[in-house]
Amino acid sequence: MLKYSLAMGIRVVCIVLCMVTPGWWLLIPAAGAVFLPYFAVVIANNVGSGASSRVRRPGALVRRDPGDRP
């Protein structure tokens, strides 16, 4: 959550810089304001994707045919 909040704080700074930056330099803070939320969400959602959170197929499952119903 801290990384996301920091990224959104930087986005606010980019938006303010868009109001005072002249000429072609405006594209730099505008790109930050547009693309930073996407990367912030990707980073925030990627927190729990370590090696320990992999889904493993349980070995105790046995496949059944649909015709095997009692």
Side-chain angles (χ1 to χ4, degrees):
M1 189 70 179
L2 180 65
K3 291 179 183 179
Y4 181 80
S5 298
L6 180 64
M8 290 301 103
I10 294 171
R11 180 182 185 218
V12 170
V13 171
C14 286
I15 291 171
V16 171
L17 285 175
C18 284
M19 296 179 198
V20 297
T21 307
W24 287 100
W25 290 102
L26 175 67
L27 293 176
I28 296 171
V34 170
F35 295 114
L36 196 58
Y38 170 76
F39 291 113
V41 169
V42 169
I43 290 170
N45 287 338
N46 198 19
V47 170
S49 67
S52 63
S53 65
R54 290 186 180 172
V55 177
R56 296 182 182 163
R57 181 172 176 234
L61 290 179
V62 178
R63 289 189 175 212
R64 292 183 5 178
D65 275 339
D68 288 345
R69 293 187 182 183

Coordinates of all heavy atoms in Angstrom, one line a residue:
M1 N 0.8 -1.2 0.0 CA 0.0 0.0 0.0 C 0.9 1.3 0.0 O 0.5 2.3 -0.5 CB -0.9 -0.1 1.2 CG -2.0 1.0 1.2 SD -3.1 0.6 0.0 CE -4.3 1.9 0.2
L2 N 2.0 1.2 0.6 CA 2.9 2.3 0.7 C 3.4 2.7 -0.7 O 3.5 3.9 -1.1 CB 4.1 2.0 1.6 CG 5.1 3.1 1.7 CD1 4.5 4.3 2.4 CD2 6.3 2.7 2.5
K3 N 3.8 1.7 -1.5 CA 4.3 1.9 -2.9 C 3.2 2.6 -3.7 O 3.4 3.5 -4.5 CB 4.7 0.6 -3.6 CG 6.0 0.0 -3.0 CD 6.3 -1.2 -3.7 CE 7.5 -1.9 -3.0 NZ 7.9 -3.1 -3.7
Y4 N 1.9 2.1 -3.6 CA 0.8 2.7 -4.3 C 0.6 4.1 -3.9 O 0.4 5.0 -4.8 CB -0.4 1.9 -4.1 CG -1.6 2.4 -4.9 CD1 -1.8 2.1 -6.2 CD2 -2.6 3.2 -4.3 CE1 -2.9 2.5 -6.9 CE2 -3.7 3.6 -5.0 CZ -3.8 3.3 -6.3 OH -4.9 3.8 -7.0
S5 N 0.6 4.4 -2.6 CA 0.4 5.8 -2.2 C 1.5 6.7 -2.6 O 1.2 7.9 -3.0 CB 0.3 5.8 -0.6 OG -0.7 5.0 -0.2
L6 N 2.7 6.2 -2.6 CA 3.8 7.0 -3.1 C 3.7 7.3 -4.6 O 3.9 8.5 -5.1 CB 5.2 6.3 -2.9 CG 6.4 7.0 -3.3 CD1 6.6 8.3 -2.6 CD2 7.6 6.1 -3.2
A7 N 3.3 6.3 -5.4 CA 3.1 6.5 -6.8 C 1.9 7.5 -7.1 O 2.0 8.4 -8.0 CB 2.8 5.2 -7.5
M8 N 0.9 7.5 -6.3 CA -0.2 8.4 -6.5 C 0.2 9.8 -6.1 O -0.3 10.8 -6.6 CB -1.5 7.9 -5.7 CG -2.1 6.7 -6.4 SD -2.6 6.9 -8.1 CE -1.3 6.1 -9.0
G9 N 1.1 9.9 -5.1 CA 1.6 11.2 -4.7 C 2.4 11.8 -5.8 O 2.3 13.0 -6.1
I10 N 3.3 11.0 -6.4 CA 4.0 11.5 -7.6 C 3.1 11.9 -8.7 O 3.4 12.8 -9.4 CB 5.1 10.4 -8.0 CG1 6.1 10.2 -6.9 CG2 5.7 10.8 -9.3 CD1 7.0 9.0 -7.1
R11 N 2.0 11.1 -8.9 CA 1.1 11.5 -10.0 C 0.4 12.9 -9.7 O 0.3 13.7 -10.6 CB 0.0 10.4 -10.0 CG -1.0 10.8 -11.1 CD -2.1 9.7 -11.2 NE -3.0 10.0 -12.3 CZ -4.3 9.9 -12.3 NH1 -4.9 9.4 -11.2 NH2 -5.0 10.2 -13.3
V12 N 0.1 13.2 -8.5 CA -0.4 14.5 -8.1 C 0.6 15.6 -8.5 O 0.3 16.6 -9.0 CB -0.8 14.6 -6.6 CG1 -1.2 16.0 -6.2 CG2 -2.0 13.6 -6.4
V13 N 1.9 15.3 -8.2 CA 2.9 16.3 -8.5 C 3.0 16.5 -10.0 O 3.2 17.6 -10.6 CB 4.3 15.8 -7.9 CG1 5.4 16.7 -8.5 CG2 4.2 15.9 -6.4
C14 N 2.9 15.3 -10.8 CA 2.9 15.4 -12.3 C 1.7 16.3 -12.8 O 1.9 17.0 -13.7 CB 2.8 14.0 -12.9 SG 4.4 13.1 -12.7
I15 N 0.6 16.1 -12.2 CA -0.6 16.9 -12.6 C -0.4 18.4 -12.4 O -0.7 19.2 -13.2 CB -1.9 16.4 -11.9 CG1 -2.2 15.0 -12.4 CG2 -3.1 17.3 -12.1 CD1 -3.3 14.3 -11.7
V16 N 0.2 18.7 -11.2 CA 0.5 20.1 -10.9 C 1.5 20.7 -11.9 O 1.4 21.8 -12.4 CB 0.9 20.3 -9.4 CG1 1.4 21.7 -9.2 CG2 -0.2 19.9 -8.5
L17 N 2.5 19.8 -12.2 CA 3.5 20.3 -13.1 C 3.0 20.5 -14.5 O 3.5 21.3 -15.3 CB 4.7 19.3 -13.2 CG 5.6 19.3 -12.0 CD1 6.6 18.1 -12.1 CD2 6.4 20.6 -11.9
C18 N 1.9 19.7 -14.9 CA 1.3 19.9 -16.2 C 0.7 21.3 -16.3 O 0.6 21.9 -17.4 CB 0.2 18.9 -16.4 SG 0.8 17.3 -16.8
M19 N 0.3 21.9 -15.2 CA -0.3 23.2 -15.2 C 0.7 24.4 -15.4 O 0.4 25.5 -15.8 CB -1.1 23.5 -13.9 CG -2.3 22.5 -13.8 SD -3.1 22.8 -12.3 CE -4.1 21.3 -12.1
V20 N 2.0 24.1 -15.0 CA 3.0 25.2 -15.1 C 4.1 24.9 -16.1 O 4.9 25.8 -16.2 CB 3.6 25.4 -13.6 CG1 2.5 25.8 -12.7 CG2 4.2 24.2 -13.1
T21 N 4.1 23.8 -16.7 CA 5.2 23.5 -17.6 C 4.9 24.0 -19.0 O 3.8 23.6 -19.6 CB 5.5 22.0 -17.6 OG1 5.7 21.5 -16.3 CG2 6.7 21.6 -18.5
P22 N 5.8 24.7 -19.7 CA 5.5 25.2 -21.0 C 6.0 24.3 -22.1 O 7.0 23.5 -21.9 CB 6.2 26.6 -21.0 CG 7.4 26.3 -20.1 CD 6.9 25.4 -19.1
G23 N 5.4 24.4 -23.3 CA 5.9 23.8 -24.5 C 5.9 22.3 -24.5 O 5.1 21.6 -23.9
W24 N 6.9 21.7 -25.2 CA 7.1 20.3 -25.3 C 7.4 19.6 -24.0 O 7.3 18.4 -23.9 CB 8.1 20.0 -26.4 CG 7.6 20.2 -27.8 CD1 7.9 21.3 -28.5 CD2 6.8 19.4 -28.5 NE1 7.3 21.2 -29.7 CE2 6.6 20.1 -29.8 CE3 6.1 18.2 -28.3 CZ2 5.8 19.6 -30.8 CZ3 5.3 17.7 -29.3 CH2 5.1 18.4 -30.5
W25 N 8.0 20.3 -23.1 CA 8.3 19.7 -21.8 C 7.1 19.3 -21.0 O 7.1 18.5 -20.1 CB 9.1 20.8 -20.9 CG 10.4 21.0 -21.4 CD1 10.8 22.1 -22.1 CD2 11.6 20.2 -21.3 NE1 12.2 22.0 -22.5 CE2 12.6 20.8 -22.0 CE3 11.8 18.9 -20.7 CZ2 13.9 20.2 -22.0 CZ3 13.0 18.4 -20.8 CH2 14.1 19.0 -21.4
L26 N 5.9 19.7 -21.4 CA 4.6 19.3 -20.8 C 4.4 17.8 -21.0 O 3.7 17.2 -20.2 CB 3.5 20.1 -21.5 CG 2.1 19.7 -21.1 CD1 1.9 20.1 -19.6 CD2 1.1 20.5 -21.9
L27 N 5.0 17.2 -22.1 CA 4.7 15.8 -22.3 C 5.3 14.9 -21.2 O 4.8 13.8 -21.0 CB 5.3 15.4 -23.7 CG 4.7 16.0 -24.9 CD1 5.4 15.6 -26.1 CD2 3.2 15.6 -25.0
I28 N 6.4 15.3 -20.6 CA 7.0 14.5 -19.5 C 6.1 14.3 -18.3 O 5.7 13.2 -17.9 CB 8.4 15.0 -19.2 CG1 9.3 14.9 -20.4 CG2 9.0 14.2 -18.0 CD1 10.6 15.6 -20.2
P29 N 5.6 15.4 -17.7 CA 4.7 15.2 -16.6 C 3.3 14.6 -17.0 O 2.7 13.9 -16.2 CB 4.6 16.6 -15.9 CG 5.0 17.5 -16.9 CD 6.0 16.8 -17.8
A30 N 2.9 14.9 -18.2 CA 1.6 14.4 -18.7 C 1.7 12.9 -18.8 O 0.8 12.1 -18.5 CB 1.2 15.0 -20.0
A31 N 2.8 12.4 -19.4 CA 3.0 10.9 -19.5 C 3.1 10.3 -18.1 O 2.5 9.2 -17.9 CB 4.3 10.6 -20.3
G32 N 3.7 11.0 -17.2 CA 3.7 10.4 -15.8 C 2.4 10.4 -15.2 O 2.0 9.4 -14.5
A33 N 1.5 11.4 -15.4 CA 0.2 11.4 -14.9 C -0.7 10.4 -15.5 O -1.6 9.9 -14.9 CB -0.4 12.8 -15.0
V34 N -0.5 10.0 -16.8 CA -1.3 9.1 -17.5 C -0.9 7.6 -17.2 O -1.7 6.8 -16.9 CB -1.3 9.4 -19.0 CG1 -2.0 8.3 -19.8 CG2 -2.0 10.7 -19.3
F35 N 0.4 7.4 -17.3 CA 0.9 6.0 -17.2 C 1.2 5.5 -15.8 O 1.2 4.3 -15.5 CB 2.1 5.8 -18.1 CG 1.8 5.9 -19.5 CD1 2.3 7.0 -20.3 CD2 0.9 5.1 -20.2 CE1 2.0 7.1 -21.6 CE2 0.6 5.2 -21.5 CZ 1.2 6.3 -22.2
L36 N 1.4 6.4 -14.9 CA 1.8 6.0 -13.5 C 0.7 5.2 -12.8 O 1.0 4.3 -12.1 CB 2.2 7.3 -12.7 CG 3.0 7.0 -11.4 CD1 4.2 6.2 -11.7 CD2 3.3 8.3 -10.7
P37 N -0.6 5.6 -12.9 CA -1.6 4.7 -12.2 C -1.6 3.3 -12.7 O -1.8 2.4 -11.9 CB -2.9 5.4 -12.6 CG -2.6 6.8 -12.9 CD -1.2 6.7 -13.5
Y38 N -1.4 3.0 -14.0 CA -1.3 1.6 -14.4 C -0.2 0.9 -13.8 O -0.4 -0.2 -13.2 CB -1.1 1.6 -16.0 CG -0.8 0.2 -16.5 CD1 -1.9 -0.7 -16.6 CD2 0.4 -0.1 -16.8 CE1 -1.6 -2.0 -17.1 CE2 0.7 -1.4 -17.3 CZ -0.3 -2.3 -17.4 OH 0.0 -3.6 -17.9
F39 N 1.0 1.4 -13.8 CA 2.1 0.8 -13.1 C 2.0 0.6 -11.6 O 2.4 -0.4 -11.0 CB 3.4 1.5 -13.5 CG 3.8 1.4 -14.9 CD1 3.8 2.5 -15.7 CD2 4.1 0.1 -15.5 CE1 4.1 2.4 -17.1 CE2 4.4 0.0 -16.8 CZ 4.5 1.1 -17.6
A40 N 1.3 1.6 -11.0 CA 1.1 1.5 -9.6 C 0.1 0.4 -9.2 O 0.4 -0.4 -8.2 CB 0.5 2.8 -9.1
V41 N -0.9 0.2 -10.0 CA -1.8 -0.9 -9.8 C -1.1 -2.3 -10.0 O -1.3 -3.2 -9.3 CB -3.1 -0.8 -10.6 CG1 -4.0 -2.0 -10.6 CG2 -3.9 0.4 -10.2
V42 N -0.3 -2.4 -11.1 CA 0.4 -3.6 -11.4 C 1.3 -4.0 -10.2 O 1.4 -5.1 -9.8 CB 1.1 -3.5 -12.7 CG1 2.1 -4.7 -12.9 CG2 0.1 -3.4 -13.9
I43 N 2.1 -3.0 -9.7 CA 3.0 -3.2 -8.6 C 2.2 -3.6 -7.4 O 2.6 -4.5 -6.6 CB 3.9 -2.0 -8.4 CG1 4.8 -1.8 -9.6 CG2 4.6 -2.1 -7.1 CD1 5.6 -0.5 -9.6
A44 N 1.1 -2.9 -7.1 CA 0.3 -3.2 -5.9 C -0.3 -4.6 -6.0 O -0.4 -5.3 -4.9 CB -0.8 -2.2 -5.7
N45 N -0.7 -5.1 -7.1 CA -1.3 -6.4 -7.3 C -0.3 -7.5 -7.3 O -0.6 -8.7 -7.2 CB -2.2 -6.5 -8.5 CG -3.4 -5.7 -8.4 OD1 -3.9 -5.5 -7.3 ND2 -4.0 -5.3 -9.5
N46 N 1.0 -7.2 -7.5 CA 2.1 -8.2 -7.7 C 2.7 -8.5 -6.3 O 3.6 -9.3 -6.3 CB 3.1 -7.6 -8.7 CG 4.0 -8.7 -9.2 OD1 3.6 -9.9 -9.1 ND2 5.1 -8.4 -9.7
V47 N 2.2 -7.9 -5.3 CA 2.9 -8.1 -3.9 C 2.9 -9.6 -3.5 O 3.8 -10.1 -3.0 CB 2.2 -7.2 -2.9 CG1 2.7 -7.6 -1.5 CG2 2.4 -5.8 -3.2
G48 N 1.8 -10.3 -3.7 CA 1.6 -11.7 -3.2 C 2.0 -12.7 -4.2 O 1.8 -13.9 -3.9
S49 N 2.7 -12.4 -5.3 CA 3.0 -13.4 -6.3 C 4.4 -14.0 -6.1 O 5.2 -14.0 -7.1 CB 2.8 -12.9 -7.7 OG 3.7 -11.9 -7.9
G50 N 4.8 -14.4 -4.9 CA 6.1 -15.0 -4.7 C 6.0 -16.5 -5.0 O 5.0 -17.0 -5.4
A51 N 7.1 -17.2 -4.8 CA 7.2 -18.6 -5.0 C 6.3 -19.4 -4.1 O 5.8 -20.5 -4.4 CB 8.6 -19.1 -4.9
S52 N 6.1 -18.8 -2.9 CA 5.3 -19.5 -1.9 C 3.8 -19.5 -2.2 O 3.0 -20.3 -1.6 CB 5.5 -19.0 -0.5 OG 5.1 -17.6 -0.5
S53 N 3.3 -18.6 -3.1 CA 1.9 -18.5 -3.3 C 1.5 -19.2 -4.6 O 0.4 -19.0 -5.1 CB 1.5 -17.0 -3.4 OG 2.1 -16.5 -4.6
R54 N 2.3 -20.1 -5.1 CA 1.9 -20.9 -6.3 C 0.9 -21.9 -5.9 O 0.9 -22.5 -4.9 CB 3.1 -21.6 -6.9 CG 4.1 -20.6 -7.5 CD 5.2 -21.4 -8.2 NE 6.1 -20.4 -8.8 CZ 7.3 -20.8 -9.4 NH1 7.6 -22.0 -9.4 NH2 8.0 -19.9 -9.9
V55 N 0.0 -22.1 -6.9 CA -1.1 -23.1 -6.6 C -0.5 -24.5 -7.1 O 0.0 -24.6 -8.2 CB -2.3 -22.7 -7.4 CG1 -3.4 -23.8 -7.3 CG2 -2.8 -21.4 -7.0
R56 N -0.6 -25.5 -6.3 CA -0.2 -26.8 -6.6 C -1.4 -27.7 -6.8 O -2.4 -27.6 -6.0 CB 0.8 -27.3 -5.6 CG 2.0 -26.5 -5.5 CD 2.9 -27.1 -4.4 NE 4.1 -26.2 -4.3 CZ 4.9 -26.3 -3.3 NH1 4.7 -27.1 -2.3 NH2 6.0 -25.5 -3.3
R57 N -1.3 -28.6 -7.7 CA -2.4 -29.6 -7.9 C -2.3 -30.6 -6.8 O -1.3 -31.3 -6.6 CB -2.3 -30.3 -9.2 CG -3.4 -31.2 -9.5 CD -3.3 -31.7 -10.9 NE -4.4 -32.7 -11.1 CZ -4.2 -33.9 -11.5 NH1 -3.0 -34.3 -11.9 NH2 -5.2 -34.8 -11.6
P58 N -3.4 -30.8 -6.1 CA -3.4 -31.8 -5.0 C -3.3 -33.2 -5.6 O -4.0 -33.5 -6.6 CB -4.8 -31.6 -4.3 CG -5.2 -30.3 -4.8 CD -4.6 -30.0 -6.1
G59 N -2.5 -34.1 -5.0 CA -2.3 -35.4 -5.6 C -3.4 -36.4 -5.2 O -3.5 -37.5 -5.7
A60 N -4.3 -36.0 -4.3 CA -5.3 -36.9 -3.8 C -6.6 -36.8 -4.7 O -7.5 -37.6 -4.4 CB -5.7 -36.5 -2.4
L61 N -6.6 -35.9 -5.7 CA -7.8 -35.9 -6.5 C -7.8 -37.0 -7.5 O -6.8 -37.4 -8.1 CB -7.8 -34.5 -7.3 CG -8.1 -33.3 -6.5 CD1 -8.1 -32.1 -7.4 CD2 -9.4 -33.4 -5.7
V62 N -9.0 -37.6 -7.6 CA -9.2 -38.7 -8.6 C -10.2 -38.3 -9.6 O -11.3 -37.8 -9.2 CB -9.6 -40.0 -7.8 CG1 -9.9 -41.1 -8.8 CG2 -8.6 -40.4 -6.7
R63 N -9.9 -38.5 -10.9 CA -10.8 -38.1 -11.9 C -11.9 -39.2 -12.0 O -11.7 -40.4 -11.9 CB -10.1 -38.0 -13.3 CG -9.3 -36.8 -13.4 CD -8.8 -36.7 -14.8 NE -8.1 -35.4 -14.9 CZ -8.0 -34.7 -16.0 NH1 -8.6 -35.1 -17.1 NH2 -7.3 -33.6 -16.0
R64 N -13.2 -38.7 -12.3 CA -14.3 -39.7 -12.5 C -14.9 -39.4 -13.8 O -15.0 -38.3 -14.3 CB -15.3 -39.4 -11.4 CG -14.8 -39.8 -10.0 CD -15.8 -39.7 -8.9 NE -17.2 -39.3 -9.4 CZ -18.2 -39.2 -8.6 NH1 -18.0 -39.4 -7.3 NH2 -19.4 -38.9 -9.0
D65 N -15.4 -40.4 -14.4 CA -16.2 -40.3 -15.6 C -17.6 -39.8 -15.2 O -18.1 -40.2 -14.2 CB -16.3 -41.6 -16.4 CG -15.2 -41.9 -17.3 OD1 -14.5 -40.9 -17.6 OD2 -14.9 -43.0 -17.6
P66 N -18.3 -39.1 -16.1 CA -19.7 -38.7 -15.8 C -20.6 -39.9 -15.7 O -21.6 -39.8 -15.0 CB -20.1 -37.8 -17.0 CG -18.8 -37.3 -17.6 CD -17.8 -38.4 -17.3
G67 N -20.3 -41.0 -16.3 CA -21.1 -42.2 -16.3 C -20.9 -43.0 -15.0 O -21.7 -43.9 -14.8
D68 N -20.0 -42.6 -14.1 CA -19.8 -43.4 -12.9 C -20.6 -42.9 -11.7 O -20.4 -43.3 -10.6 CB -18.3 -43.2 -12.5 CG -17.4 -44.0 -13.4 OD1 -17.9 -44.8 -14.2 OD2 -16.2 -43.7 -13.4
R69 N -21.6 -42.1 -12.0 CA -22.5 -41.6 -10.9 C -23.2 -42.7 -10.2 O -23.8 -43.6 -10.9 CB -23.4 -40.5 -11.4 CG -22.7 -39.3 -11.8 CD -23.6 -38.2 -12.1 NE -22.9 -37.0 -12.6 CZ -23.4 -35.9 -12.9 NH1 -24.7 -35.8 -12.8 NH2 -22.7 -34.9 -13.3
P70 N -23.3 -42.7 -8.9 CA -24.1 -43.8 -8.2 C -25.6 -43.6 -8.3 O -26.2 -42.7 -8.6 CB -23.7 -43.6 -6.7 CG -23.0 -42.3 -6.6 CD -22.6 -41.8 -8.0

